Amino acid sequence: MLAKSRAILFKFDCNGFLFRYSTAAPTNLEEYLINSLGFSKQEAISASAKVTFNSLKNPDLSVNFFKQTGFNDSQIKILVSKHPKVLFFDVEKTLKPKLQCISQLGLSGSDLVKVILRDCKFLDTGLHTRIIPLINLLKSVLGSDENVVKVIKRCAWLISYNNHVTIEANLNLLQSFGCSNDKIKSILITCPKILTNINNKRLEEMLHRVEKEVGVSPDSTLFLHIVCVLSTMREEKLEKKFGIFKSFGWSDTDILTMLQKHPYCIGLSEVWEFYSLLQISLV
C-alpha cells in the first residue's frame, strides 16, 4: 500500500549495482545486523558494543559499495563484525577515496578484500595525513607499485601504520650505517617490522651489536636480516631461544655461527627449533 511509512527508492549505477536510498528514519544497528546481514542476536550485540552510537542513516550504501568492490556476503559480515563503524562511513568522502588509493597501485579483487579484512583500521586511517605519505615513502624505497603491493599483501597492517616519520628516520639510519639501497629494499619486502616496530635508538644499538658482537658486516647480505630477527624480539625471549639450543649441547660459539648463517632459525617456534637442530649444518 502507498500508505506505508517507509518508502524505498532504488537506483542503479553504470555498473549495474543496486543502491538503496531510504527516506525512513535512522535504523537501529542491532536490528540491521540481524535482519540484513544475518547476524545472530549475540553477534549483533557484540558488534554494536564496538561503537558509541547506534543509529544508522543508510547502511545499505556502505554494504553495496563493498559488494561492488568485490566482497561477498560472508566477507561483509566479517568486516562489519570486526569494524562496525564502516556502516557509518560516507562512501564518497571516506571509503571510495581510500580504496581507490590502494587499488591504483595494482591491488584489486580478492587481494584487496584480503588486505582490508586483515587490517580494517585502514578504513579509519587518514588518507592525506597517513596513507598517501606512507605509500609515497614506500615507493621511494621500493621503486615500483608492484613492490609496494608485495609489502602490503605480506603485511596488511602497514597501510594503517600511524607514524611514517619513524620509518623515514630508520631508513636514514640504515643508509648512514652503510646499508645499500638494494639491501634496504630487500629487507623492507621481507621484514618491514625493522622499520616500524623499532625506535631509532634501539635500531642503532642493534646495528652496532650485530656488527661488533655477531661479527657480521653491514655489507653482508644477511646483516639486515640478523638485525631484523634480533631487534623484533625481547631480550628475555632471545635468552629462552638460546637456551633451547644450549639444551642440545650447543656452545655460545655454535649459536653465534648459526645466527650468522641461519638467522631466521631464532624466530621459529620451539617445535621447529627442535627440528632445525637436526637439520642445520654449521660447516
Side-chain angles (χ1 to χ4, degrees):
M1 293 178 62
L2 295 177
K4 277 187 172 288
S5 60
R6 296 185 61 180
I8 304 292
L9 305 179
F10 296 94
K11 179 181 178 182
F12 286 84
D13 71 359
C14 60
N15 295 315
F17 289 95
L18 180 62
F19 290 82
R20 300 169 60 205
Y21 296 88
S22 174
T23 58
T27 305
N28 176 272
L29 177 56
E30 286 183 24
E31 291 177 359
Y32 181 80
L33 297 179
I34 294 170
N35 297 330
S36 299
L37 299 184
F39 278 58
S40 68
K41 177 68 174 177
Q42 189 55 48
E43 288 172 337
I45 293 173
S46 177
S48 298
K50 297 177 182 178
V51 294
T52 56
F53 30 83
N54 196 36
S55 181
L56 293 164
K57 287 186 178 179
N58 204 339
D60 287 326
L61 287 177
S62 294
V63 170
N64 283 327
F65 172 74
F66 285 114
K67 286 183 178 180
Q68 181 180 353
T69 302
F71 284 72
N72 59 36
D73 290 343
S74 63
Q75 289 168 333
I76 290 175
K77 182 178 177 181
I78 292 170
L79 174 63
V80 174
S81 179
K82 288 182 175 180
H83 203 55
K85 283 176 65 177
V86 297
L87 296 177
F88 299 84
F89 289 155
D90 186 294
V91 171
E92 295 298 325
K93 294 181 179 179
T94 303
L95 296 178
K96 186 178 289 186
K98 290 177 182 178
L99 268 64
Q100 283 180 340
C101 179
I102 58 174
S103 64
Q104 286 170 356
L105 296 171
L107 191 65
S108 60
S110 61
D111 288 333
L112 178 61
V113 172
K114 288 176 184 177
V115 165
I116 295 173
L117 287 178
R118 286 171 59 192
D119 187 44
C120 305
K121 291 187 295 183
F122 161 72
L123 300 171
D124 255 340
T125 304
L127 178 62
H128 296 286
T129 57
R130 294 182 184 177
I131 297 173
I132 291 177
L134 177 61
I135 288 176
N136 289 338
L137 180 58
L138 292 176
K139 279 185 183 181
S140 70
V141 179
L142 298 173
S144 70
D145 290 351
E146 182 182 0
N147 283 334
V148 174
V149 169
K150 283 182 183 178
V151 172
I152 292 175
K153 286 169 65 175
R154 185 181 181 90
C155 303
W157 53 265
L158 192 58
I159 55 174
S160 64
Y161 185 68
N162 62 8
N163 193 354
H164 66 275
V165 175
T166 297
I167 297 180
E168 192 167 11
N170 284 345
L171 281 171
N172 291 336
L173 178 59
L174 295 182
Q175 290 169 342
S176 68
F177 207 79
C179 300
S180 69
N181 289 337
D182 285 342
K183 289 184 175 61
I184 294 174
K185 180 192 296 186
S186 175
I187 197 63
L188 182 53
I189 292 174
T190 57
C191 184
K193 288 184 178 180
I194 193 174
L195 299 177
T196 60
N197 288 24
I198 313 163
N199 64 48
N200 202 244
K201 182 179 179 181
R202 174 166 168 73
L203 179 58
E204 184 173 13
E205 291 172 352
M206 197 57 63
L207 290 170
H208 287 290
R209 181 177 176 184
V210 171
E211 182 180 33
K212 295 177 181 178
E213 297 180 20
V214 181
V216 177
S217 169
D219 59 10
S220 166
T221 303
L222 287 175
F223 178 78
L224 287 179
H225 293 276
I226 299 171
V227 171
C228 182
V229 169
L230 296 182
S231 59
T232 55
M233 297 177 67
R234 297 187 304 273
E235 284 295 327
E236 56 267 28
K237 190 169 184 179
L238 277 174
E239 290 301 322
K240 182 180 179 181
K241 296 279 187 178
F242 293 153
I244 292 174
F245 289 96
K246 288 181 179 180
S247 71
F248 276 74
W250 284 37
S251 67
D252 289 338
T253 301
D254 292 331
I255 295 173
L256 183 61
T257 303
M258 182 271 298
L259 184 58
Q260 293 168 341
K261 293 184 175 183
H262 309 281
Y264 287 106
C265 286
I266 295 295
L268 297 174
S269 66
E270 292 185 9
V271 172
W272 282 103
E273 279 179 352
F274 287 128
Y275 178 77
S276 68
L277 286 167
L278 304 177
Q279 303 294 320
I280 293 175
S281 171
L282 298 178
V283 296

